[in-house]
Amino acid sequence: QVQLVESGGGLVQPGGSLRLSCAASGSIFSINTMAWYRQAPGKERELVAAVGSDGMINYVDSVKGRFTISRDNSKTMVWLQMDSLKSEDTAVYYCYANVLGGSGGSTDLAVWGQGTLVTVSS
């Protein structure tokens, strides 16, 4: 079994910063993509940023230049540094990982964290 545990959400004023963390644990052979999604009230979940095991990074246009995704060398942790936050960034942020688990990575899993609330408000 594989788990993702997120931390770092909270209340911040417009223009402020927050840093989200996500740690993967469990029966992990390797992890391909790790990503952050978000879901605002009344809206569908959307991809915010993703980083592959090869280091390739993608961002949704609305956060380019403000958010930075990073991953550690062990590739089991991912962070999202969020700067110049706007009210429209308010959402529940979810960590996602595409995990190869089991013996020799025989099991392909899509794993989600429990979500952490980010509220941007004055």
Side-chain angles (χ1 to χ4, degrees):
Q1 191 171 2
V2 178
Q3 291 182 328
L4 299 177
V5 178
E6 302 137 335
S7 61
L11 173 65
V12 64
Q13 292 186 343
S17 298
L18 280 176
R19 182 176 172 86
L20 305 182
S21 301
C22 174
S25 63
S27 180
I28 298 171
F29 180 80
S30 66
I31 302 179
N32 294 327
T33 298
M34 297 190 81
W36 289 94
Y37 285 73
R38 66 185 178 187
Q39 186 165 20
K43 295 188 177 181
E44 293 186 353
R45 190 173 297 189
E46 67 168 351
L47 175 66
V48 176
V51 54
S53 57
D54 59 359
M56 287 283 289
I57 291 176
N58 290 294
Y59 296 100
V60 67
D61 285 347
S62 60
V63 307
K64 286 181 180 177
R66 301 188 298 119
F67 290 12
T68 304
I69 190 170
S70 59
R71 190 168 172 177
D72 72 329
N73 288 335
S74 72
K75 296 182 172 57
T76 60
M77 290 199 66
V78 66
W79 297 271
L80 186 68
Q81 177 66 40
M82 303 185 293
D83 299 317
S84 302
L85 282 160
K86 305 175 180 180
S87 57
E88 51 262 45
D89 296 317
T90 295
V92 177
Y93 284 71
Y94 296 91
C95 181
Y96 165 86
N98 174 215
V99 177
L100 297 182
S103 176
S106 58
T107 304
D108 194 332
L109 303 170
V111 185
W112 292 90
Q114 79 283 1
T116 184
L117 178 62
V118 172
T119 303
V120 184
S121 175
S122 56

